[in-house]
Amino acid sequence: GAGVSQTPSNKVTEKGKYVELRCDPISGHTALYWYRQSLGQGPEFLIYFQGTGAADDSGLPNDRFFAVRPEGSVSTLKIQRTERGDSAVYLCASSLRSGASGVYEQYFGPGTRLTVT
Amino acid sequence: GNSVTQMEGPVTLSEEAFLTINCTYTATGYPSLFWYVQYPGEGLQLLLKATKADDKGSNKGFEATYRKETTSFHLEKGSVQVSDSAVYFCALRLGGSNYKLTFGKGTLLTVNP
């Protein structure tokens, strides 16, 4: 079946602009995660959704970053007033669910490479 | 805090050579440990995992053993192939219902024919 998809694959934007990054999880996966991978680093957790709600947004670096998942499927990561330091690969992952009932394997998308000039 | 330290790359080997990529961790409690692989142009894929001390994860000829006494989870393969060229990430996840993965910086492996 189809895996996690992310669009666009590449995004170049100017400093100060607003960007939206989209993630389509695997059908039926209720848990969705965003990670950020800076050059030469491993992925770092940003936010976790269980269904429509953000269960944990402790990894978002500041209030310029926001993510939504209005219907419990597709998620959009939104970055306002982009800065050069936001340049990174943004990874999305999904899993069946997480929580007291169990933690399931996270399946990752190919990522969106964001470059802020 | 929790962290993962893995061998810095890049690592370049000839086909059929033996591979070791070192990984050590710092964590509170008893984490689960993972190796992920990222092939060029693709997303991260789970390669293998181990959930408790002395467990050995294995897949596609790769192995790693959870060593609590040395807080290590080194990745090994007896005979690498060109198709194993990729970036390898060691990661941990704390126990219970914790879902956050903490990754190392990654190690680029290039296997030459």
Side-chain angles (χ1 to χ4, degrees):
Chain A
V4 177
S5 62
Q6 293 186 246
T7 54
S9 55
N10 280 284
K11 175 71 177 177
V12 181
T13 191
E14 292 180 350
K15 179 176 178 296
K17 299 289 189 184
Y18 168 84
V19 297
E20 290 189 350
L21 311 179
R22 176 188 167 108
C23 171
D24 255 292
I26 293 171
S27 178
H29 280 190
T30 57
L32 185 144
Y33 317 79
W34 284 97
Y35 291 81
R36 178 168 72 172
Q37 186 176 7
S38 300
L39 190 64
Q41 304 295 317
E44 294 179 315
F45 171 82
L46 294 177
I47 186 169
Y48 155 59
F49 287 89
Q50 181 60 51
T52 59
D56 182 352
D57 63 359
S58 62
L60 294 178
N62 52 59
D63 61 6
R64 295 187 298 105
F65 288 75
F66 189 72
V68 296
R69 195 184 184 202
E71 297 177 357
S73 179
V74 170
S75 176
T76 305
L77 178 65
K78 308 181 180 195
I79 310 174
Q80 299 177 317
R81 304 183 303 280
T82 52
E83 299 178 356
R84 293 196 180 88
D86 299 335
S87 296
V89 176
Y90 289 82
L91 299 171
C92 177
S94 70
S95 71
L96 279 172
R97 62 181 176 271
S98 289
S101 57
V103 180
Y104 294 84
E105 178 183 344
Q106 295 178 26
Y107 293 84
F108 284 82
T112 293
R113 182 176 298 279
L114 174 66
T115 303
V116 182
T117 61
Chain B
N2 306 310
S3 66
V4 174
T5 302
Q6 64 181 100
M7 177 174 159
E8 293 213 9
V11 174
T12 303
L13 296 173
S14 298
E15 207 164 22
E16 299 184 3
F18 183 84
L19 169 71
T20 300
I21 301 178
N22 291 337
C23 171
T24 57
Y25 67 89
T26 302
T28 53
Y30 302 98
S32 295
L33 301 174
F34 306 82
W35 277 100
Y36 281 81
V37 59
Q38 189 171 34
Y39 298 105
E42 298 184 18
L44 282 167
Q45 299 174 24
L46 179 63
L47 179 61
L48 54 83
K49 67 180 181 183
T51 58
K52 61 184 188 297
D54 300 325
D55 268 2
K56 178 186 283 188
S58 60
N59 186 24
K60 300 182 181 179
F62 290 89
E63 292 183 339
T65 300
Y66 189 142
R67 299 287 187 203
K68 184 166 174 288
E69 62 277 12
T70 54
T71 62
S72 65
F73 193 56
H74 304 320
L75 182 67
E76 296 183 335
K77 186 174 186 182
S79 176
V80 292
Q81 306 300 312
V82 172
S83 57
D84 294 326
S85 298
V87 181
Y88 292 81
F89 292 91
C90 186
L92 69 81
R93 188 180 69 213
L94 296 181
S97 59
N98 199 292
Y99 43 80
K100 290 183 194 177
L101 289 165
T102 300
F103 288 88
K105 292 185 178 183
T107 302
L108 173 62
L109 170 66
T110 302
V111 181
N112 295 317

Short mmCIF file of all heavy atoms in Angstrom, two decimals, chain A residues 2 12 21 35 38-39 41 45 47 61 67 74-75 77 83 90 97 105 108-110:
data_model
loop_
_atom_site.label_atom_id
_atom_site.label_comp_id
_atom_site.label_asym_id
_atom_site.label_seq_id
_atom_site.Cartn_x
_atom_site.Cartn_y
_atom_site.Cartn_z
N ALA A 2 0.21 2.39 -0.11
CA ALA A 2 0.93 3.65 -0.16
C ALA A 2 1.54 3.96 1.19
O ALA A 2 0.95 3.71 2.23
CB ALA A 2 -0.02 4.77 -0.59
N VAL A 12 11.88 26.28 -1.61
CA VAL A 12 12.80 27.38 -1.40
C VAL A 12 11.97 28.63 -1.16
O VAL A 12 11.06 28.92 -1.94
CB VAL A 12 13.74 27.58 -2.61
CG1 VAL A 12 14.70 28.74 -2.34
CG2 VAL A 12 14.51 26.30 -2.90
N LEU A 21 3.88 22.98 4.87
CA LEU A 21 4.38 21.68 4.46
C LEU A 21 3.30 20.65 4.76
O LEU A 21 2.75 20.63 5.87
CB LEU A 21 5.67 21.33 5.21
CG LEU A 21 6.75 22.43 5.25
CD1 LEU A 21 7.95 21.94 6.06
CD2 LEU A 21 7.18 22.83 3.87
N TYR A 35 9.09 15.62 12.59
CA TYR A 35 10.47 15.75 13.05
C TYR A 35 11.18 16.74 12.14
O TYR A 35 10.79 16.93 10.98
CB TYR A 35 11.21 14.40 12.96
CG TYR A 35 10.76 13.34 13.93
CD1 TYR A 35 9.63 12.56 13.67
CD2 TYR A 35 11.46 13.08 15.11
CE1 TYR A 35 9.21 11.57 14.56
CE2 TYR A 35 11.06 12.09 15.99
CZ TYR A 35 9.94 11.34 15.70
OH TYR A 35 9.54 10.35 16.58
N SER A 38 18.15 18.79 10.74
CA SER A 38 19.08 19.80 10.26
C SER A 38 20.32 19.12 9.67
O SER A 38 20.58 17.94 9.96
CB SER A 38 19.48 20.73 11.40
OG SER A 38 18.34 21.38 11.93
N LEU A 39 21.06 19.86 8.88
CA LEU A 39 22.20 19.30 8.18
C LEU A 39 23.20 18.69 9.17
O LEU A 39 23.59 19.32 10.15
CB LEU A 39 22.89 20.39 7.36
CG LEU A 39 23.96 19.91 6.39
CD1 LEU A 39 23.35 19.02 5.32
CD2 LEU A 39 24.67 21.10 5.75
N GLN A 41 22.67 16.37 11.30
CA GLN A 41 22.06 15.95 12.56
C GLN A 41 21.04 14.86 12.32
O GLN A 41 20.57 14.67 11.20
CB GLN A 41 21.36 17.14 13.23
CG GLN A 41 22.26 18.34 13.47
CD GLN A 41 23.36 18.04 14.46
OE1 GLN A 41 23.13 17.41 15.49
NE2 GLN A 41 24.57 18.48 14.14
N PHE A 45 12.37 15.55 17.30
CA PHE A 45 10.91 15.57 17.46
C PHE A 45 10.39 17.00 17.52
O PHE A 45 10.94 17.85 18.21
CB PHE A 45 10.55 14.81 18.74
CG PHE A 45 9.12 14.93 19.14
CD1 PHE A 45 8.16 14.13 18.57
CD2 PHE A 45 8.73 15.87 20.10
CE1 PHE A 45 6.83 14.23 18.95
CE2 PHE A 45 7.41 15.97 20.49
CZ PHE A 45 6.45 15.16 19.91
N ILE A 47 6.38 17.54 17.02
CA ILE A 47 4.99 17.50 17.48
C ILE A 47 4.40 16.14 17.17
O ILE A 47 4.80 15.47 16.21
CB ILE A 47 4.18 18.64 16.81
CG1 ILE A 47 2.76 18.74 17.39
CG2 ILE A 47 4.13 18.47 15.30
CD1 ILE A 47 2.02 20.01 16.95
N PRO A 61 10.02 24.66 18.09
CA PRO A 61 11.07 25.54 18.61
C PRO A 61 10.58 26.89 19.10
O PRO A 61 11.18 27.46 20.01
CB PRO A 61 12.02 25.70 17.42
CG PRO A 61 11.25 25.29 16.22
CD PRO A 61 10.21 24.34 16.66
N ALA A 67 1.19 23.43 13.74
CA ALA A 67 0.76 22.32 12.90
C ALA A 67 -0.70 22.01 13.19
O ALA A 67 -1.17 22.19 14.31
CB ALA A 67 1.62 21.09 13.15
N VAL A 74 -4.65 14.10 7.00
CA VAL A 74 -3.59 14.98 6.50
C VAL A 74 -3.21 16.01 7.56
O VAL A 74 -4.06 16.52 8.29
CB VAL A 74 -4.07 15.69 5.22
CG1 VAL A 74 -3.10 16.78 4.80
CG2 VAL A 74 -4.27 14.68 4.10
N SER A 75 -1.91 16.30 7.63
CA SER A 75 -1.42 17.32 8.54
C SER A 75 -0.63 18.36 7.77
O SER A 75 0.01 18.05 6.75
CB SER A 75 -0.54 16.69 9.62
OG SER A 75 0.02 17.68 10.47
N LEU A 77 2.20 21.44 8.47
CA LEU A 77 3.12 22.16 9.34
C LEU A 77 3.28 23.56 8.76
O LEU A 77 3.58 23.70 7.57
CB LEU A 77 4.48 21.45 9.41
CG LEU A 77 5.56 22.11 10.26
CD1 LEU A 77 5.17 22.12 11.74
CD2 LEU A 77 6.90 21.39 10.08
N GLU A 83 13.01 31.97 8.94
CA GLU A 83 14.38 32.43 9.15
C GLU A 83 15.34 31.43 8.52
O GLU A 83 14.99 30.27 8.30
CB GLU A 83 14.65 32.54 10.66
CG GLU A 83 13.76 33.52 11.36
CD GLU A 83 14.01 33.57 12.86
OE1 GLU A 83 14.85 32.78 13.36
OE2 GLU A 83 13.35 34.40 13.53
N TYR A 90 12.18 18.45 6.80
CA TYR A 90 11.06 18.22 7.72
C TYR A 90 10.45 16.87 7.40
O TYR A 90 9.98 16.64 6.29
CB TYR A 90 10.05 19.36 7.63
CG TYR A 90 10.61 20.62 8.22
CD1 TYR A 90 11.45 21.44 7.47
CD2 TYR A 90 10.35 20.98 9.54
CE1 TYR A 90 12.02 22.59 8.01
CE2 TYR A 90 10.91 22.12 10.10
CZ TYR A 90 11.75 22.91 9.33
OH TYR A 90 12.30 24.04 9.88
N ARG A 97 -1.09 3.81 16.38
CA ARG A 97 -1.49 4.64 17.50
C ARG A 97 -0.36 4.60 18.51
O ARG A 97 0.56 3.83 18.41
CB ARG A 97 -2.79 4.16 18.15
CG ARG A 97 -2.77 2.78 18.75
CD ARG A 97 -4.13 2.43 19.34
NE ARG A 97 -4.17 1.08 19.85
CZ ARG A 97 -4.50 0.02 19.13
NH1 ARG A 97 -4.78 0.16 17.86
NH2 ARG A 97 -4.51 -1.17 19.67
N GLU A 105 5.29 0.99 15.49
CA GLU A 105 6.37 1.46 14.63
C GLU A 105 5.95 2.69 13.87
O GLU A 105 4.84 2.77 13.34
CB GLU A 105 6.77 0.37 13.65
CG GLU A 105 7.87 0.79 12.68
CD GLU A 105 8.20 -0.29 11.67
OE1 GLU A 105 7.82 -1.45 11.89
OE2 GLU A 105 8.84 0.06 10.66
N PHE A 108 8.10 6.56 8.18
CA PHE A 108 8.50 7.90 7.80
C PHE A 108 8.25 8.19 6.31
O PHE A 108 8.40 7.30 5.46
CB PHE A 108 9.99 8.11 8.09
CG PHE A 108 10.29 8.32 9.54
CD1 PHE A 108 10.41 7.25 10.41
CD2 PHE A 108 10.45 9.60 10.04
CE1 PHE A 108 10.68 7.44 11.76
CE2 PHE A 108 10.73 9.80 11.39
CZ PHE A 108 10.84 8.73 12.24
N GLY A 109 7.93 9.43 6.03
CA GLY A 109 7.88 9.91 4.66
C GLY A 109 9.26 10.33 4.19
O GLY A 109 10.21 10.33 4.98
N PRO A 110 9.38 10.71 2.91
CA PRO A 110 10.68 11.08 2.35
C PRO A 110 11.16 12.46 2.77
O PRO A 110 12.32 12.79 2.57
CB PRO A 110 10.44 11.03 0.84
CG PRO A 110 8.98 11.31 0.69
CD PRO A 110 8.32 10.72 1.89
#
